[in-house]
mmCIF file with all atom_site columns, all heavy atoms in Angstrom:
data_model
loop_
_atom_site.group_PDB
_atom_site.id
_atom_site.type_symbol
_atom_site.label_atom_id
_atom_site.label_alt_id
_atom_site.label_comp_id
_atom_site.label_asym_id
_atom_site.label_entity_id
_atom_site.label_seq_id
_atom_site.pdbx_PDB_ins_code
_atom_site.Cartn_x
_atom_site.Cartn_y
_atom_site.Cartn_z
_atom_site.occupancy
_atom_site.B_iso_or_equiv
_atom_site.pdbx_formal_charge
_atom_site.auth_seq_id
_atom_site.auth_comp_id
_atom_site.auth_asym_id
_atom_site.auth_atom_id
_atom_site.pdbx_PDB_model_num
ATOM 1   N N   . LYS I 1 226 ? 26.292 -14.929 -12.355 1.00 0.00 ? 226 LYS I N   1
ATOM 2   C CA  . LYS I 1 226 ? 26.554 -14.001 -11.251 1.00 0.00 ? 226 LYS I CA  1
ATOM 3   C C   . LYS I 1 226 ? 25.539 -14.190 -10.129 1.00 0.00 ? 226 LYS I C   1
ATOM 4   O O   . LYS I 1 226 ? 25.868 -14.085 -8.950  1.00 0.00 ? 226 LYS I O   1
ATOM 5   C CB  . LYS I 1 226 ? 26.527 -12.564 -11.765 1.00 0.00 ? 226 LYS I CB  1
ATOM 6   C CG  . LYS I 1 226 ? 27.668 -12.217 -12.700 1.00 0.00 ? 226 LYS I CG  1
ATOM 7   C CD  . LYS I 1 226 ? 27.840 -10.721 -12.869 1.00 0.00 ? 226 LYS I CD  1
ATOM 8   C CE  . LYS I 1 226 ? 26.667 -10.089 -13.575 1.00 0.00 ? 226 LYS I CE  1
ATOM 9   N NZ  . LYS I 1 226 ? 26.893 -8.628  -13.813 1.00 0.00 ? 226 LYS I NZ  1
ATOM 10  N N   . GLU I 1 227 ? 24.300 -14.467 -10.531 1.00 0.00 ? 227 GLU I N   1
ATOM 11  C CA  . GLU I 1 227 ? 23.235 -14.696 -9.549  1.00 0.00 ? 227 GLU I CA  1
ATOM 12  C C   . GLU I 1 227 ? 23.557 -15.920 -8.692  1.00 0.00 ? 227 GLU I C   1
ATOM 13  O O   . GLU I 1 227 ? 23.350 -15.909 -7.469  1.00 0.00 ? 227 GLU I O   1
ATOM 14  C CB  . GLU I 1 227 ? 21.930 -14.897 -10.314 1.00 0.00 ? 227 GLU I CB  1
ATOM 15  C CG  . GLU I 1 227 ? 20.684 -15.008 -9.489  1.00 0.00 ? 227 GLU I CG  1
ATOM 16  C CD  . GLU I 1 227 ? 19.483 -15.223 -10.383 1.00 0.00 ? 227 GLU I CD  1
ATOM 17  O OE1 . GLU I 1 227 ? 19.104 -14.285 -11.105 1.00 0.00 ? 227 GLU I OE1 1
ATOM 18  O OE2 . GLU I 1 227 ? 18.932 -16.348 -10.369 1.00 0.00 ? 227 GLU I OE2 1
ATOM 19  N N   . ALA I 1 228 ? 24.074 -16.970 -9.333  1.00 0.00 ? 228 ALA I N   1
ATOM 20  C CA  . ALA I 1 228 ? 24.424 -18.189 -8.603  1.00 0.00 ? 228 ALA I CA  1
ATOM 21  C C   . ALA I 1 228 ? 25.556 -17.925 -7.610  1.00 0.00 ? 228 ALA I C   1
ATOM 22  O O   . ALA I 1 228 ? 25.528 -18.411 -6.467  1.00 0.00 ? 228 ALA I O   1
ATOM 23  C CB  . ALA I 1 228 ? 24.823 -19.288 -9.586  1.00 0.00 ? 228 ALA I CB  1
ATOM 24  N N   . ILE I 1 229 ? 26.562 -17.163 -8.028  1.00 0.00 ? 229 ILE I N   1
ATOM 25  C CA  . ILE I 1 229 ? 27.675 -16.832 -7.128  1.00 0.00 ? 229 ILE I CA  1
ATOM 26  C C   . ILE I 1 229 ? 27.174 -16.035 -5.931  1.00 0.00 ? 229 ILE I C   1
ATOM 27  O O   . ILE I 1 229 ? 27.542 -16.291 -4.780  1.00 0.00 ? 229 ILE I O   1
ATOM 28  C CB  . ILE I 1 229 ? 28.760 -16.058 -7.899  1.00 0.00 ? 229 ILE I CB  1
ATOM 29  C CG1 . ILE I 1 229 ? 29.472 -16.994 -8.885  1.00 0.00 ? 229 ILE I CG1 1
ATOM 30  C CG2 . ILE I 1 229 ? 29.758 -15.417 -6.942  1.00 0.00 ? 229 ILE I CG2 1
ATOM 31  C CD1 . ILE I 1 229 ? 30.418 -16.295 -9.828  1.00 0.00 ? 229 ILE I CD1 1
ATOM 32  N N   . TYR I 1 230 ? 26.311 -15.078 -6.198  1.00 0.00 ? 230 TYR I N   1
ATOM 33  C CA  . TYR I 1 230 ? 25.766 -14.256 -5.114  1.00 0.00 ? 230 TYR I CA  1
ATOM 34  C C   . TYR I 1 230 ? 24.950 -15.127 -4.158  1.00 0.00 ? 230 TYR I C   1
ATOM 35  O O   . TYR I 1 230 ? 25.013 -14.962 -2.934  1.00 0.00 ? 230 TYR I O   1
ATOM 36  C CB  . TYR I 1 230 ? 24.895 -13.144 -5.697  1.00 0.00 ? 230 TYR I CB  1
ATOM 37  C CG  . TYR I 1 230 ? 24.720 -11.964 -4.779  1.00 0.00 ? 230 TYR I CG  1
ATOM 38  C CD1 . TYR I 1 230 ? 25.596 -10.887 -4.821  1.00 0.00 ? 230 TYR I CD1 1
ATOM 39  C CD2 . TYR I 1 230 ? 23.671 -11.920 -3.869  1.00 0.00 ? 230 TYR I CD2 1
ATOM 40  C CE1 . TYR I 1 230 ? 25.436 -9.800  -3.985  1.00 0.00 ? 230 TYR I CE1 1
ATOM 41  C CE2 . TYR I 1 230 ? 23.497 -10.837 -3.019  1.00 0.00 ? 230 TYR I CE2 1
ATOM 42  C CZ  . TYR I 1 230 ? 24.379 -9.779  -3.084  1.00 0.00 ? 230 TYR I CZ  1
ATOM 43  O OH  . TYR I 1 230 ? 24.213 -8.703  -2.243  1.00 0.00 ? 230 TYR I OH  1
ATOM 44  N N   . ALA I 1 231 ? 24.201 -16.074 -4.728  1.00 0.00 ? 231 ALA I N   1
ATOM 45  C CA  . ALA I 1 231 ? 23.393 -16.965 -3.895  1.00 0.00 ? 231 ALA I CA  1
ATOM 46  C C   . ALA I 1 231 ? 24.276 -17.838 -3.014  1.00 0.00 ? 231 ALA I C   1
ATOM 47  O O   . ALA I 1 231 ? 23.978 -18.063 -1.832  1.00 0.00 ? 231 ALA I O   1
ATOM 48  C CB  . ALA I 1 231 ? 22.502 -17.827 -4.783  1.00 0.00 ? 231 ALA I CB  1
ATOM 49  N N   . LEU I 1 232 ? 25.377 -18.348 -3.579  1.00 0.00 ? 232 LEU I N   1
ATOM 50  C CA  . LEU I 1 232 ? 26.298 -19.165 -2.787  1.00 0.00 ? 232 LEU I CA  1
ATOM 51  C C   . LEU I 1 232 ? 26.894 -18.358 -1.643  1.00 0.00 ? 232 LEU I C   1
ATOM 52  O O   . LEU I 1 232 ? 27.051 -18.868 -0.518  1.00 0.00 ? 232 LEU I O   1
ATOM 53  C CB  . LEU I 1 232 ? 27.410 -19.712 -3.687  1.00 0.00 ? 232 LEU I CB  1
ATOM 54  C CG  . LEU I 1 232 ? 26.987 -20.745 -4.734  1.00 0.00 ? 232 LEU I CG  1
ATOM 55  C CD1 . LEU I 1 232 ? 28.139 -21.029 -5.696  1.00 0.00 ? 232 LEU I CD1 1
ATOM 56  C CD2 . LEU I 1 232 ? 26.515 -22.027 -4.063  1.00 0.00 ? 232 LEU I CD2 1
ATOM 57  N N   . ALA I 1 233 ? 27.236 -17.108 -1.924  1.00 0.00 ? 233 ALA I N   1
ATOM 58  C CA  . ALA I 1 233 ? 27.789 -16.250 -0.871  1.00 0.00 ? 233 ALA I CA  1
ATOM 59  C C   . ALA I 1 233 ? 26.757 -16.000 0.225   1.00 0.00 ? 233 ALA I C   1
ATOM 60  O O   . ALA I 1 233 ? 27.086 -15.990 1.421   1.00 0.00 ? 233 ALA I O   1
ATOM 61  C CB  . ALA I 1 233 ? 28.255 -14.928 -1.478  1.00 0.00 ? 233 ALA I CB  1
ATOM 62  N N   . MET I 1 234 ? 25.491 -15.804 -0.170  1.00 0.00 ? 234 MET I N   1
ATOM 63  C CA  . MET I 1 234 ? 24.441 -15.592 0.822   1.00 0.00 ? 234 MET I CA  1
ATOM 64  C C   . MET I 1 234 ? 24.255 -16.829 1.690   1.00 0.00 ? 234 MET I C   1
ATOM 65  O O   . MET I 1 234 ? 24.067 -16.724 2.909   1.00 0.00 ? 234 MET I O   1
ATOM 66  C CB  . MET I 1 234 ? 23.128 -15.237 0.122   1.00 0.00 ? 234 MET I CB  1
ATOM 67  C CG  . MET I 1 234 ? 23.115 -13.876 -0.535  1.00 0.00 ? 234 MET I CG  1
ATOM 68  S SD  . MET I 1 234 ? 21.529 -13.528 -1.322  1.00 0.00 ? 234 MET I SD  1
ATOM 69  C CE  . MET I 1 234 ? 20.468 -13.430 0.094   1.00 0.00 ? 234 MET I CE  1
ATOM 70  N N   . GLU I 1 235 ? 24.311 -17.999 1.071   1.00 0.00 ? 235 GLU I N   1
ATOM 71  C CA  . GLU I 1 235 ? 24.157 -19.226 1.841   1.00 0.00 ? 235 GLU I CA  1
ATOM 72  C C   . GLU I 1 235 ? 25.301 -19.404 2.830   1.00 0.00 ? 235 GLU I C   1
ATOM 73  O O   . GLU I 1 235 ? 25.121 -19.971 3.908   1.00 0.00 ? 235 GLU I O   1
ATOM 74  C CB  . GLU I 1 235 ? 24.096 -20.429 0.893   1.00 0.00 ? 235 GLU I CB  1
ATOM 75  C CG  . GLU I 1 235 ? 22.823 -20.524 0.078   1.00 0.00 ? 235 GLU I CG  1
ATOM 76  C CD  . GLU I 1 235 ? 21.692 -21.174 0.854   1.00 0.00 ? 235 GLU I CD  1
ATOM 77  O OE1 . GLU I 1 235 ? 21.956 -21.766 1.920   1.00 0.00 ? 235 GLU I OE1 1
ATOM 78  O OE2 . GLU I 1 235 ? 20.540 -21.092 0.393   1.00 0.00 ? 235 GLU I OE2 1
ATOM 79  N N   . ALA I 1 236 ? 26.488 -18.922 2.434   1.00 0.00 ? 236 ALA I N   1
ATOM 80  C CA  . ALA I 1 236 ? 27.633 -19.016 3.338   1.00 0.00 ? 236 ALA I CA  1
ATOM 81  C C   . ALA I 1 236 ? 27.546 -17.997 4.467   1.00 0.00 ? 236 ALA I C   1
ATOM 82  O O   . ALA I 1 236 ? 27.977 -18.263 5.594   1.00 0.00 ? 236 ALA I O   1
ATOM 83  C CB  . ALA I 1 236 ? 28.929 -18.814 2.549   1.00 0.00 ? 236 ALA I CB  1
ATOM 84  N N   . LYS I 1 237 ? 26.969 -16.838 4.168   1.00 0.00 ? 237 LYS I N   1
ATOM 85  C CA  . LYS I 1 237 ? 26.935 -15.740 5.137   1.00 0.00 ? 237 LYS I CA  1
ATOM 86  C C   . LYS I 1 237 ? 25.746 -15.846 6.090   1.00 0.00 ? 237 LYS I C   1
ATOM 87  O O   . LYS I 1 237 ? 25.874 -15.581 7.290   1.00 0.00 ? 237 LYS I O   1
ATOM 88  C CB  . LYS I 1 237 ? 26.856 -14.411 4.373   1.00 0.00 ? 237 LYS I CB  1
ATOM 89  C CG  . LYS I 1 237 ? 26.758 -13.173 5.245   1.00 0.00 ? 237 LYS I CG  1
ATOM 90  C CD  . LYS I 1 237 ? 28.108 -12.687 5.695   1.00 0.00 ? 237 LYS I CD  1
ATOM 91  C CE  . LYS I 1 237 ? 28.006 -11.330 6.367   1.00 0.00 ? 237 LYS I CE  1
ATOM 92  N NZ  . LYS I 1 237 ? 29.312 -10.805 6.781   1.00 0.00 ? 237 LYS I NZ  1
ATOM 93  N N   . TYR I 1 238 ? 24.577 -16.212 5.540   1.00 0.00 ? 238 TYR I N   1
ATOM 94  C CA  . TYR I 1 238 ? 23.339 -16.168 6.316   1.00 0.00 ? 238 TYR I CA  1
ATOM 95  C C   . TYR I 1 238 ? 22.789 -17.569 6.555   1.00 0.00 ? 238 TYR I C   1
ATOM 96  O O   . TYR I 1 238 ? 23.071 -18.510 5.803   1.00 0.00 ? 238 TYR I O   1
ATOM 97  C CB  . TYR I 1 238 ? 22.269 -15.347 5.579   1.00 0.00 ? 238 TYR I CB  1
ATOM 98  C CG  . TYR I 1 238 ? 22.702 -13.967 5.159   1.00 0.00 ? 238 TYR I CG  1
ATOM 99  C CD1 . TYR I 1 238 ? 22.429 -13.504 3.866   1.00 0.00 ? 238 TYR I CD1 1
ATOM 100 C CD2 . TYR I 1 238 ? 23.381 -13.127 6.023   1.00 0.00 ? 238 TYR I CD2 1
ATOM 101 C CE1 . TYR I 1 238 ? 22.807 -12.236 3.464   1.00 0.00 ? 238 TYR I CE1 1
ATOM 102 C CE2 . TYR I 1 238 ? 23.772 -11.852 5.632   1.00 0.00 ? 238 TYR I CE2 1
ATOM 103 C CZ  . TYR I 1 238 ? 23.489 -11.412 4.340   1.00 0.00 ? 238 TYR I CZ  1
ATOM 104 O OH  . TYR I 1 238 ? 23.872 -10.164 3.948   1.00 0.00 ? 238 TYR I OH  1
#
Side-chain angles (χ1 to χ4, degrees):
K226 292 196 294 184
E227 186 181 290
I229 290 172
Y230 202 91
L232 292 171
M234 291 181 67
E235 289 277 347
K237 178 85 171 182
Y238 307 134

